Structure formats: C-alpha cells, structure tokens
Amino acid sequence: MNEPLLSVRDFSVVYDVDPPVEAVSHVTLELQRGEVLGLAGESGCGKTTLAYGVQRLLKAPAVITSGSVVFHDASGDDVDLGALDAEQMRRFRWDKVSMVFQGAMNALNPVAPIGSQLEDVFEVHRPRMSARQRRAEVAELLEIVKVGAQRARSFPHELSGGMRQRVMIAMALALRPQLMVMDEPTTALDVLVQREILRQISQLRHEFGFSVIFITHDLPLLLEISDRIAIMREGEIVELDTAERIWTDPQNDYTKTLLSSFPRLTGERGVVAR
Amino acid sequence: MTVLEFDHITKIYNVRGAGQIRALDDVSFTLRSGQTIGLVGQSGSGKSTIAKILTQLETPTSGEVRLDGAPIPRHGTALRRYRQQLRMVFQDPFASLNPYHSIRYHIERPLRLDDVVPKAQTEAEVRRLLERVRLDPDAVMERRPHELSGGQRQRIAIARALASRPAILVADEPVSMLDVSIRLGVLNLLAELQRDEGLGVLYITHDLATARHFSDEIIVLNQGRVVEHGTADEVILTPQDPYTRELRAASPDPESFFASAARDLGGAP
C-alpha cells in the first residue's frame, strides 16, 4: 500500500502577533491512501494548526509562510492546494477532505434537527440533487453510523454524546471523502462509548477506504489505532514511525518522555508515588 | 482519624416522561483518612450522584451518610462545618474558577468564610497554600484564571480545596481535562498532599489506568449498583465482574495490545 494521498512539503505556519509565533515549523510528511496517521503532542504543539493549515482553514493572524500541500486525487489528478482560488477551495473541502471537529459534540446547531443539518451538506455540494434524494442520502448515512434514520427529526439535545459524535461522523462521511481529519473526536466520551466509536470508524474505513489523520494527546489510544504516528513538539515533527516502532523502539527523547508520562493499565505500580 | 460512611444509599429521580430512575441502588462504602478510593464507571453510572450526595447537593431517597458517626446536617452552620470537612476538586479547571477574580481572591475566600486563620495571617496562608501546590505565589497571586495554563488552574482548585483544611477530598475527574503529559504531575501532587495531610480521597474517574495507580481500593459502579469492590490491583488485573472486564477491555492498553498479535482496530486492511 504505497500510494500517496497527501504530500506536505516544508510546511510552516506563523501566528503574526508580537512577537510572532511559529506554530508549525517546516513540516514534511506523506500520507498514504487508506492509512491512519496519528498526530500526537501536548496542547500548543501545533497539531491542530497543522491539520487546519493543510486545508487552508486558518484565519489571520495565522500566515502560511512556506511549503506546499499536494492532494493526489483518486482520479489521478494532483491538486496543489496552495494554487486553488476561493471557489475551487470551497468545492474541494468536504468533498475530498472532511473534518470531525474538536468538541464535535457541541458543534451541531442546537435549534435545527440533525437531518436538516446533514441535508445542508448535499444542498451546498450537490446542488442538482432533489429534496427526495437528499432525504434518502441522509437516512442512509444515519443508518451507516447506527444512529438510525428515524432520528433525522431529532434535535441535538435529544441525543446522547456518543450519538451526536456519530452524527458528526455521518456528516464527515456524506460526500465519501478520501481523507477524514479527526481532531480529538472521542476525548469527551467515556471509555465504552469511545471504543464503540473507534470500532465504527475502523469499519467505515475498511468499507469506504478513506485515510484518517487522527489528532489527540491520548498516546495510549493512538498507539492502538494508528498505522503510523507523528510526534509533534513546538511546531516540529520530532519523530514519525509505525505505531509499533514508536512503542517498542522510540528514537527521540521527547517521544520517550511522552511514553513514560501515562500510567499503564497493566504495567508496574509506582508511577504515582504513594 | 476521620471516617466517612456511605451507608446503603439509594437515590431515585422522578423524571417526567421516563418515570423513576434509580441513580444509586443500595451503595455502601467507608472512606478513612489517609485512604484513596477510586470510583469508576461509565457516564450515567451514578458516580457524580455520589459526589452530589456527599456534598449535600442532593439528599438520598434512603440510607445515610455519616462523618465520624454523625449524619450530614441538612442546613445552617452545621452543614457549613460539615462542608469544611469535605471539599471538592472539579473536572473542568476552566469552568470552576471565576474569571473575574484574582487567584488571591479564590484562596482567600474559603479562609475568610471558614475562619481558618486570623485575618492578619490571611496573606501568609494564601502564600503557603500556593507553595503547597508548587506555584510561585509572587507569580500567580494577582493573576486571573485565564492567564494560567490548565494544569496551573487545577493546582489553584486544589489549593482552594485545601484552604479549609478538610479531612476528605472528593476529586471528580480532576485530571481528565488536562494534557496526558501533565496528568501524572497533578496526580502525584494529590498523592503527596494526601500523604502529608492524611486526607481521605475519593477519586472519581472513568480512567482505569490512573485509578489503579492512584487508589488503594476501587469501586466499580454500573447503573447505580456496586458491581465490584476490592484492592486496586485485584479489580483491574483480575476483574471478576463481566462489566469490569468490559471496561478493562475498552481501556487503551498498549502493553497488552502489542503483546497480542490479534489487532481488531486500525492496522492495514
């Protein structure tokens, strides 16, 4: 499976405040088609800025100061994301690359039924679709993520946190994108619900073949679900390797620190001095 | 030596449209000074209802909570004195501190309200408490919560809880909103304070890994019932109840994960 989907070269983002902050510093990475890439690091390390930056979702004072991002479309075209104009970029987003946002549980509109929020995606990106078709697509999506088509008329507050998160995944899946960027998608959920959602993401990925960039500071979780993991610190990727090698043979000192900073479920006692 | 008894507590909520919900069903445990009990279970298992009953924000439908043999007072000065004995650290250090007030104010208030030290010694006591949670008093005292990091804010919340010199600390997910890399630091701080001050700690969490390392005993709650109660290692390493096993299987555990060849998640398709 060596077919690149996204090539990021020498990518930098600076927050142009006083003094300027280089949030992402000369990042180069290649995402493979169908791969789950974990992006790990502490708050403020630049992982979210990087993920937003490659899709050009950042607002001033953030400035992309160097680098290029090329999306290798399934059609065979290479799309240089830096060269698209506003309208081309609008069409590109969500169609090819979608996102499940941080705090997605609260990202839904509280005064609109979830069905109509899902229909919005088709209204904007598939303007020729009939209302009947849209409703059918939404019903299918809600079935795929196991929320159930009959919940289309529910409001967000009538759903549990886990179900709201599934609705967000359904929304990200709507246009069958080739890449889904997930920013802390399960952080607010309890372990059982978290595990269920991860299973579902994995299933959908096998079924639809999209790649995932999974952003979190929860390294134990990332180790279990990623093919490869990039460890970020102060805007740089300090180590990038397969999950297994990050776990068994970390090269960078910071990676080692991160690995030793979480208590192991079944490991030796004594990490908390008692 | 302080003893907190949670004695056969049942709490029933009447919910419009849904009838009666049994949030807690005959739950009992005893917490002593110097001991940490981990309370684990998923959302809706009743963990927070226990915290609410302990702080007398809710009254149990049946059963009794006793501190050193005496039932929780219902109101007035007696209730305030009880709450001085039992303090809480909340989950969200971004929401539990008042954005309008300085750090000094946050720590001074319980000192004043509970008459912990004479007025002239208030400032010295604020400094002592901040140092106790490893913050530099000169650097943080006049600041407001938004100027501090999540970890620093949670330390402020701990200092505030300690100000009244309580015997029992109820910590409801005190580290789940913090970065993985600083969680251990805050837990170690709590463990140290507990040792030095002989606190009894009720550690409410859904994170089995920290519960195991931080607690002496663990209680597993499922739908308001205690399904398992034992020493931390017994409950996590050799769980007896099916629900505990399910919780354990769902928790990230890279150690066992890489040891076993069968990967049901991620990996190449």
Side-chain angles (χ1 to χ4, degrees):
Chain A
M1 190 181 55
N2 257 343
E3 193 196 337
L5 177 68
L6 192 74
S7 304
V8 180
R9 295 262 169 277
D10 192 38
F11 193 75
S12 303
V13 178
V14 171
Y15 284 100
D16 194 9
V17 287
D18 192 27
V21 179
E22 193 169 43
V24 175
S25 180
H26 305 286
V27 165
T28 294
L29 65 89
E30 193 150 88
L31 179 73
Q32 306 296 320
R33 193 169 287 281
E35 174 184 45
V36 178
L37 177 73
L39 205 51
E42 294 172 73
S43 302
C45 73
K47 51 193 192 302
T48 299
T49 303
L50 172 61
Y52 277 50
V54 296
Q55 302 174 68
R56 285 173 48 206
L57 282 170
L58 296 169
K59 278 192 209 157
V63 183
I64 296 168
T65 50
S66 80
S68 68
V69 180
V70 177
F71 182 84
H72 309 283
D73 192 53
S75 67
D77 295 344
D78 284 352
V79 185
D80 179 357
L81 297 192
L84 298 182
D85 64 28
E87 175 57 19
Q88 289 168 323
M89 197 68 216
R90 185 192 69 73
R91 285 168 190 276
F92 176 86
R93 289 187 194 124
W94 222 260
D95 202 14
K96 310 286 186 193
V97 180
S98 68
M99 268 202 90
V100 177
F101 290 96
Q102 195 165 9
M105 286 167 59
N106 306 314
L108 291 164
N109 182 344
V111 296
I114 56 164
S116 87
Q117 298 185 53
L118 286 164
E119 281 187 44
D120 284 349
V121 177
F122 297 108
E123 238 176 285
V124 171
H125 282 275
R126 302 284 185 268
R128 275 191 229 130
M129 203 180 254
S130 71
R132 178 193 293 250
Q133 262 179 309
R134 282 201 300 267
R135 276 196 297 277
E137 288 283 344
V138 167
E140 191 196 334
L141 280 171
L142 288 174
E143 289 297 332
I144 289 175
V145 296
K146 301 203 170 69
V147 168
Q150 76 283 0
R151 303 307 295 260
R153 300 175 69 130
S154 298
F155 287 88
H157 75 269
E158 296 174 297
L159 305 177
S160 68
M163 276 167 110
R164 269 179 276 175
Q165 194 59 275
R166 286 167 204 268
V167 172
M168 293 307 295
I169 292 171
M171 199 178 280
L173 190 66
L175 305 176
R176 307 293 189 265
Q178 295 165 52
L179 168 61
M180 241 188 240
V181 179
M182 300 186 163
D183 192 0
E184 304 273 10
T186 60
T187 308
L189 305 171
D190 72 53
V191 282
L192 293 179
V193 179
Q194 167 172 291
R195 187 58 73 173
E196 249 171 66
I197 300 239
L198 291 173
R199 281 216 179 94
Q200 189 158 56
I201 293 171
S202 161
Q203 242 169 40
L204 293 173
R205 196 172 63 87
H206 288 307
E207 197 178 333
F208 297 103
F210 53 84
S211 305
V212 175
I213 295 182
F214 198 106
I215 307 172
T216 180
H217 62 248
D218 191 345
L219 197 51
L221 177 77
L222 215 47
L223 283 162
E224 293 190 9
I225 62 164
S226 309
D227 297 309
R228 288 189 304 156
I229 294 179
I231 308 280
M232 270 189 91
R233 185 191 195 185
E234 290 172 10
E236 289 177 44
I237 289 182
V238 296
E239 188 161 1
L240 173 61
D241 214 329
T242 62
E244 191 151 5
R245 285 186 55 84
I246 292 274
W247 171 253
T248 53
D249 188 23
Q251 299 299 310
N252 187 279
D253 285 341
Y254 180 68
T255 309
K256 290 176 195 163
T257 312
L258 269 191
L259 284 168
S260 64
S261 70
F262 63 85
R264 311 270 167 80
L265 186 65
T266 50
E268 296 254 317
R269 275 186 86 93
V271 281
V272 177
R274 305 208 52 240
Chain B
M1 178 80 167
T2 302
V3 182
L4 178 74
E5 291 163 279
F6 205 77
D7 191 7
H8 295 283
I9 302 278
T10 296
K11 175 69 187 174
I12 295 171
Y13 288 105
N14 290 308
V15 179
R16 204 156 35 119
Q20 292 196 324
I21 290 180
R22 215 168 256 267
L24 291 178
D25 191 357
D26 197 26
V27 173
S28 299
F29 62 86
T30 306
L31 177 65
R32 296 185 173 77
S33 333
Q35 183 192 28
T36 302
I37 295 184
L39 198 56
V40 303
Q42 70 184 119
S43 306
S45 60
K47 307 188 298 282
S48 296
T49 305
I50 290 183
K52 283 180 191 161
I53 287 174
L54 282 175
T55 44
Q56 179 68 16
L57 293 170
E58 294 280 2
T59 24
T61 310
S62 67
E64 193 172 66
V65 182
R66 287 183 298 270
L67 187 65
D68 289 332
I72 305 188
R74 290 290 167 97
H75 38 71
T77 0
L79 175 59
R80 203 153 93 196
R81 228 173 288 128
Y82 164 80
R83 284 184 177 152
Q84 189 180 337
Q85 291 288 299
L86 182 143
R87 287 278 148 164
M88 280 202 69
V89 176
F90 297 93
Q91 175 172 17
D92 186 351
F94 299 83
S96 69
L97 301 178
N98 188 331
Y100 291 105
H101 288 302
S102 67
I103 301 307
R104 173 206 290 271
Y105 178 89
H106 279 90
I107 318 269
E108 262 179 13
R109 238 175 111 71
L111 291 175
R112 295 256 172 92
L113 287 174
D114 290 336
D115 259 333
V116 183
V117 290
K119 216 169 172 189
Q121 289 171 31
T122 308
E123 164 138 8
E125 181 66 6
V126 172
R127 288 178 168 275
R128 187 189 72 84
L129 285 161
L130 288 174
E131 277 163 10
R132 203 75 191 81
V133 295
R134 305 254 171 71
L135 291 170
D136 176 3
D138 292 315
V140 300
M141 227 152 89
E142 305 307 333
R143 293 190 178 238
R144 306 229 170 147
H146 74 269
E147 298 177 87
L148 305 179
S149 70
Q152 286 175 321
R153 274 184 255 199
Q154 201 57 306
R155 284 166 199 267
I156 300 291
I158 294 169
R160 173 177 62 181
L162 293 177
S164 310
R165 310 206 174 152
I168 306 280
L169 203 62
V170 177
D172 191 354
E173 298 278 14
V175 297
S176 68
M177 304 262 303
L178 306 178
D179 256 27
V180 172
S181 54
I182 56 171
R183 284 183 188 174
L184 214 52
V186 172
L187 282 178
N188 267 314
L189 173 70
L190 275 172
E192 181 194 314
L193 294 169
Q194 178 205 30
R195 223 171 30 230
D196 296 353
E197 326 254 329
L199 288 168
V201 176
L202 189 66
Y203 175 51
I204 301 178
T205 184
H206 66 252
D207 178 11
L208 266 57
T210 56
R212 174 173 164 242
H213 290 278
F214 183 59
S215 317
D216 302 304
E217 291 177 16
I218 288 179
I219 295 172
V220 184
L221 270 184
N222 182 20
Q223 293 176 6
R225 287 172 160 275
V226 173
V227 295
E228 195 153 355
H229 183 177
T231 67
D233 274 2
E234 272 168 19
V235 172
I236 304 300
L237 299 181
T238 53
Q240 300 301 309
D241 185 82
Y243 178 74
T244 317
R245 283 192 210 128
E246 205 185 320
L247 272 184
R248 195 191 130 165
S251 302
D253 179 15
E255 222 124 38
S256 316
F257 179 75
F258 286 109
S260 75
R263 298 170 59 166
D264 66 336
L265 264 178

